[in-house]
Amino acid sequence: MPLHNWIQCNEGNTEYVRKGNTKDEGKDDIKWIEIYDQYVQKYGLSDVYKRLLEVMKKKALYELEYVITKEKFKITEIELQEAKLKTMLSNNGKGITIEQSLIHLSKWLGYRLNPMKITVVEYFNTLKEYGKENKQK
Amino acid sequence: MAKKISRSDISESDIFGGVKASAEGAITVIDELNDALKKSAETLSKDIKGVKFGSAKEIKEFTKAIKEANKLKEDTVKLDKERAKFIQEIEKIEQQEEKTKQQKIKTQQQELRLARQLKQEKEKENKTRQRAIKLENDENNAYKKLVKSTRDQKNESKRLAVELINLERAGKKNSKEWRKLNTEYKKVTKSAQQGDKALKKIDGTVGDNFRNVGNYRQALGKLTSVLGGLGLAFGGIQLLRSAGKTVADFGQSVADLTAITGASGKDLEFFKKQAIELGKDVEGGATAVVEAYKLIASAKPELLENAEALDAVTQSAITLSQASGLDLPDASIRLTDALNQFGAPAEQAGKFIDILANGAKFGSAEIPQITDALLKFGSVSKTTNVSIAESTALIEALAEKGLKGAEAGTALRNIMIKLSAPDALPKKAQDALNKLGISFEDLTDESKPFSERLKALKPLLDDNGALMDVFGLQNEVAAINLLESTDRVAELTEMMDKNGTATEQAEERTGTLAFALIQVKNAWDSWILSMSEGTGASEGFTWVLQKLAENFTTIMKVIIRIGFAWVTYKTAILGAKAVTFLFGGGLQDMYKQMVKSVRGFKLMGRGAKKMGRDVKSAGKAMYAVPWIAIIALVTELAIALYNASSASAELRRQQMLTDAYTQTSNEQAQKRITERTDTNAKEVAELERKRDVELASVKDTKKRMEIEAKFLKQKEKIISSTKKVIKADITLVNNQKARFKPFKEELDLINKKIKAEGKAHTQTEAMIDLQKRVAKELKLEGDASWVSWFTGEKDLVTFKKVQRTINAKIAGANEKLKLYHGELDNISESQKDINTEITVQNIKITDNTDKVKGLTGATKKLNAEFSDQIKFMKELNDLKEDSLALDKDIAELETEKKVEEKEEKIEDAVKKAVNLARTKGVAEIGVAMDLIGEKEEMLIKGAERELDFSIKQAQKEHDLKFQLLQANLDKELKEKLTQKGLTPEQIQSIKDGYKREQNELDFLKIEAQKTLNKEITVLTKETEADIRGIKKETADEEIQLLTDVNEAQEEFEEKQRGADTKTNDKRLADLREWADKSRAIIKAVSDFWIKKSNEKIAGYDKEISKAEEQSKILQKLAENGNINAQQSLAEQNRLIAEANKKKLAEERKQQAVKQASVILETYLSKVEADEKNPLLATIQDIALLNAFIATIPSALEGTEDTGANGVGIDGKGGFHAILHPNERVLTKEQNRKVGNLSNEELASFANEYNTGQLINKSGAYQIGNGWNTGAIVERLESLENTIKNKPETNVQIEDIVQGAMTITRETRKGNSKVYNRYKIKG
């Protein structure tokens, strides 16, 4: 699967899961879930993503607690979590977009990586190596 | 005129109310939505917490969930904002309402002020106009002119008299100036006298005697002095003050009514009149009634057009106020609120108050709570076609569950709104209703009663979630209560239509001494107001006091009656024989007399209205003496207090004796029970010992079982025989009780008779016989005072003692019965248990036989064995259940039968009691009450037995369930263990598994037992509620009995009053005795007055006689030319005239006392003649006499001519006339000689002649037919001669010559002169 399709699917456009001109719209989501599961199986979730999910979870739980208890303080807690999320999602934090990572990887490799051509597995493997290299440094 | 309150003014609050209700409704909806969100949040929270992010699917679902959580939060925030907005809106509305309210009050106050100002200005204007008219009239009116000129002349006469006196004091009497003044004085005085006389004549002709009456102060003074003479206090000033306040308050209140309602003219007069009339029975009097008019008219402006309708609603408000204890303004507001809520017309006010009263009577919520609730949901009831009756029933049904007042009203409003529009319910709620098969059409069918509509929702009771979805958390409890009470609502609705309950309750609540006192005060106030309304306050007062004084003699006899009774009462109370007096009925007799007096008063007052003016006045005057009624009421209070204290003392004694007997009986019964229990225990122990011995020697299972069965049978036998002994004891006690009962009934009858007649009886044969029988039965022969317990105080006490003893013995017997029945119940239970054990044992034996057979045959499989075992257990349980159910059915049937029998007996006893009350006037309800009590006891026992059965059955079902589970578990184990080829490990594993399952089963059993216990608690509570219902029914039955008997008793009393000639004779004898006593008092009072009066008259006579003697002496001196004597003579004559006047007045007083005495005598004769209304008859007679007297001409004021129209009763044209002491009558001839001189002129001349101002007889005869000039000439000649011959002496002093002075005396007589000279030497 080209990395471009992966990025599109990640953004919710699961029709990019299709190969060629197949028109099996009903199964896009299922297929995407299967592919993503494969990814999780192979690489596991990233720490950043895990933290992101945890914060989101926390925020959701605070929201629900507010609905149940009507305690005004919960709103403050929610806002705190929202701020945290914002930071994590911005580039100032530890997370960067795939497109940004491609630039870094291209520089490291010395040639431009084309998301339309590079496969998802190649991308993640390169990323892994790049990570190792960086750690050694 | 003040602005009328318009309909829009009144409905303003409704507009706010609508907005507020809508805001509140919105908040309710928001709260419900919030609840739903909360539930979703709880579920979602659980889901999110469990997320592990293990798969993409999970992450995807998580993403969805967090979106949902966010949406929930957003929704909640939005809802909260909306809610806050609505709350703010409500607060704003409330502020607005408060502001409007304040504004309204302010406007009303301004309007009131304006109205008052306008009124004052108008009054001022009227007064000025009236004064101008009066002035104009006075100027144009000849009569007034005469009045004015006479008054002016009188004043002038007084002024001149003072000037004359001043001149006399200055020694200028007879001077020219004095004479001129004197002539003028006489002229003016004469003219004034003539004017006054003419006026009196005119006034007399038209019957206006005001010139003889002073102002009210004088009238009051007169009355006070008359009362003071008899030693009676009369707080005249206080009466005036209180009356003044009453008039002022009422006036203000009426002014307010005019200002607020715009009522005027005929309507206002009608309101005033009605307020005075209705005020007699209302706390706060006429002023409170006017206040109610005001409030009702403000609440229902359409009534302003119809005074009668407004009055009718007000009367209903008065009844409601009396029935509920609310004050009248509050009751008025609540009634009109209720009417307005249902949009009901004024004509339904009567129906509404009856419904409210029925609600309070048959339900738990009182009238104020009902109206509080109605205020919340009345309008919703109206729109959903729920009647006021059903609405009240709904309130009462909720009240019975503890939800009352506004809280209940709000809950009912919410429920009604939801039911009226199920389509508007949240989808979830609609789904729930559909799922339960509840038809929306049934819910919205307004042709059905609301209870029917509610019934359609009953399936919700089985689904709490659905119930909450439909009604929301806030209304859930109320909804459950209503759904559970649909039958009760229907039942209560039927009760609400009973008519006349409000009036009944009002009568009940107002039948108190306190209210009677209020009525006395109101009667006085009403009378004052009616007087002031008719004639103006001050005129009314003068009239009252005058009439009181005039009719004092008539009033006095009532006071004497009551005073006599009061003194007798005080003497008797203070005396040593007070108790005898009270027991002898003295107080009661006296009280009856007093009540008669008061009734007589009222009757007379009413009857008098139809008669002539004099009688009317007397009636009203007497009606205005409230203290007499107060004395009677105070006496009533004294009696009530006495009765209460003596009754409580008797109750105390009764209670002590009852306690003592109950204690003894308890001890005796307990002893018997202990003895029996011990004996039983010993016998059973002996049996057990024998059984154990036998068992020790036998190993065979079946035989052992048989031994056990034998033991059980023997044990049952012991219990059975003990039961027989207990039953024998019960029969014995019942027999004893049965022996007391007839005596108790007879004694009760005698007691009632004694009470009814108010004094001790003479012994009759029947009584002596009864006495002997009772004495023998109770073993009371040794009691010395028993022999004659009907003859005196001591005997009466003993009679009470006997009654107490019987009552206490019956109570003791009841105590024994209670204990024995308890014992019997316990032992019966033991017997049933043993029977069950026997059955079980028999089954075991059979089972064992089968097993043995199976073993020997070795062909039956183990499965079959266990199946059989389970089957047996089931059968055994069925058997137990059947046995229990059978016992229960038998007991129910027995109870039903007993209750039916008891009801028949009760019916008979009630009939007997009613007949007895109707035929003999005796209220003997003891038997019926006892039977009703016994029935109640039976029903309660039945309910308890049913509870007991239900509990046992539930417990047994529980036991069986676990026995079966246990059996299955055991079966499974055995099945597993019987498998072939099991290794020891496998066996161990099977056993471990069994152990685990066994533990689980044990745990389950404990939990199930807990649930069962809760169910048992519910069952117990239900039974308790049933028992409460039974007790309420009993109370109703007892009240019905009392009502029936009371009515029958009243019937009897009514008959008795008309038919009992014997009693009538006695009554007449009493009346005669009373009349004699009264006569003695009247005679004593009259004699005292006449004696005192005679003494005074004798004093005046003495004074006159002495003055006349003195006058004669002065006369002589005056004749001799003594000027001083002439003046003293005039003074002396004045004194004689004054003394005569006083004597005349005293003689008139004496006549009045004699007349009073005659009136009282007439009254007493009427009483003795048993006139139906002696007082009225007397007044009629006296009125006739007065009317007759009024037709006879009288010359009390003097007359110049009796006229030419005689009736010729003596053949000479004569007629009847009234003469008074010391009057002078002239013949026709003599009167002709007097000519045109008025009596006054004639008397003046005579007086001047007598006092020497005219020449008297001895000096001249010129007063006659003409002048005798000869005599005058003769006198003049004599005078001339005297003057001529009178010697004249002149003394002159000459010159002094040679030291001597010469004096010359010249004497001239006639024409000759004589000189004499004298020399005086120094």
Side-chain angles (χ1 to χ4, degrees), chain B residues 396-592:
Chain B
E396 292 298 346
L398 282 186
E400 283 175 2
K401 305 271 184 182
L403 201 62
K404 291 180 185 177
E407 207 186 334
T410 310
L412 282 166
R413 181 193 64 194
N414 295 344
I415 291 169
M416 278 182 178
I417 289 172
K418 282 175 191 292
L419 282 198
S420 63
D423 297 342
L425 289 170
K427 198 177 174 302
K428 203 173 172 192
Q430 289 189 37
D431 291 346
L433 288 174
N434 285 328
K435 198 177 154 194
L436 290 166
I438 296 166
S439 147
F440 284 16
E441 275 175 21
D442 284 348
L443 296 181
T444 51
D445 186 356
E446 290 181 359
S447 64
K448 285 182 182 172
F450 193 68
S451 58
E452 286 293 320
R453 288 179 241 168
L454 279 174
K455 267 184 192 170
L457 286 170
K458 280 221 166 184
L460 281 175
L461 282 174
D462 299 325
D463 188 342
N464 263 337
L467 193 81
M468 202 133 82
D469 289 339
V470 174
F471 291 108
L473 192 64
Q474 287 169 323
N475 310 313
E476 193 191 359
V477 178
I480 291 172
N481 286 335
L482 274 186
L483 294 180
E484 281 176 346
S485 311
T486 48
D487 290 341
R488 178 67 179 148
V489 172
E491 189 189 340
L492 280 167
T493 308
E494 272 180 34
M495 290 173 176
M496 293 303 121
D497 285 331
K498 196 187 164 202
N499 291 327
T501 313
T503 314
E504 271 171 32
Q505 287 189 357
E507 279 169 8
E508 209 171 287
R509 273 186 184 257
T510 52
T512 60
L513 180 62
F515 194 77
L517 284 169
I518 288 170
Q519 280 178 316
V520 170
K521 189 193 175 295
N522 288 352
W524 166 249
D525 285 350
S526 291
W527 183 77
I528 288 292
L529 288 174
S530 61
M531 288 317 305
S532 73
E533 284 303 305
T535 57
S538 61
E539 283 174 38
F541 251 122
T542 313
W543 184 86
V544 174
L545 298 171
Q546 182 194 335
K547 289 298 163 193
L548 276 172
E550 279 175 15
N551 296 284
F552 177 70
T553 44
T554 321
I555 296 168
M556 199 174 72
K557 62 179 175 269
V558 183
I559 297 173
I560 287 171
R561 268 174 74 181
I562 290 174
F564 172 71
W566 185 249
V567 169
T568 316
Y569 161 71
K570 292 294 275 184
T571 319
I573 288 293
L574 295 170
K577 291 184 176 178
V579 177
T580 318
F581 169 76
L582 292 170
F583 268 109
L587 186 61
Q588 215 166 6
D589 286 351
M590 185 206 72
Y591 165 65
K592 279 179 188 165

Side-chain angles (χ1 to χ4, degrees), chain A residues 29 33 36-37 40 45 49 53-54 56-57 59-61 63-64 66-68 70 72 75 78 82, chain B residues 34 37-38 41-42 44-45 48-49 51 53 55-56 59-60 62 66 69-70 72-73 76-77 80:
Chain A
D29 284 349
I33 286 169
Y36 200 86
D37 270 342
V40 173
L45 289 175
Y49 193 48
L53 285 175
E54 283 302 332
M56 283 166 93
K57 186 177 171 183
K59 181 192 162 225
L61 286 173
E63 280 172 338
L64 295 172
Y66 170 73
V67 175
I68 296 163
K70 296 271 172 67
K72 294 279 174 200
I75 299 280
I78 295 163
E82 261 172 13
Chain B
N34 263 329
L37 291 180
K38 199 175 154 188
E42 280 166 353
L44 204 58
S45 179
I48 292 177
K49 272 179 193 165
V51 174
F53 310 118
S55 67
I59 292 169
K60 198 186 173 197
F62 168 73
I66 61 167
N70 189 258
L72 281 177
K73 187 212 104 187
T76 307
V77 171
D80 284 351

Side-chain angles (χ1 to χ4, degrees), chain B residues 689-698 704 707 710:
Chain B
R689 194 188 60 77
K690 282 182 183 169
R691 177 198 62 183
D692 293 344
V693 170
E694 278 185 60
L695 284 174
S697 56
V698 178
R704 287 175 74 87
I707 291 166
K710 193 176 119 197

Side-chain angles (χ1 to χ4, degrees), chain B residues 181-195:
Chain B
L181 258 179
N182 195 30
T183 313
E184 202 186 338
Y185 166 70
K186 279 183 182 169
K187 197 179 151 193
V188 172
T189 311
K190 193 177 172 186
S191 179
Q193 283 168 343
Q194 280 173 341

Side-chain angles (χ1 to χ4, degrees), chain B residues 1163-1216:
Chain B
Y1163 172 73
L1164 293 174
S1165 314
K1166 302 274 178 200
V1167 172
E1168 281 182 305
D1170 199 24
E1171 280 271 355
K1172 200 175 175 188
N1173 191 342
L1175 210 51
L1176 197 59
T1178 307
I1179 288 164
Q1180 280 169 336
D1181 283 0
I1182 300 300
L1184 281 174
L1185 182 62
N1186 281 342
F1188 171 66
I1189 290 168
T1191 61
I1192 301 174
S1194 162
L1196 190 62
E1197 303 293 340
T1199 180
E1200 278 86 38
D1201 192 342
T1202 53
N1205 299 323
V1207 288
I1209 55 168
D1210 57 352
K1212 293 172 187 170
F1215 54 82
H1216 287 298

Side-chain angles (χ1 to χ4, degrees), chain B residues 1000-1031:
Chain B
E1000 276 174 18
L1001 187 62
D1002 288 345
F1003 175 74
L1004 200 64
K1005 195 176 177 183
I1006 290 164
E1007 288 304 308
Q1009 185 64 49
K1010 279 182 194 169
T1011 313
L1012 180 66
N1013 289 344
K1014 278 180 193 166
E1015 278 170 18
I1016 289 171
T1017 313
V1018 172
L1019 283 172
T1020 312
K1021 284 197 175 156
E1022 279 172 359
T1023 307
E1024 280 167 5
D1026 289 346
I1027 290 172
R1028 278 200 296 279
I1030 292 167
K1031 283 184 177 167

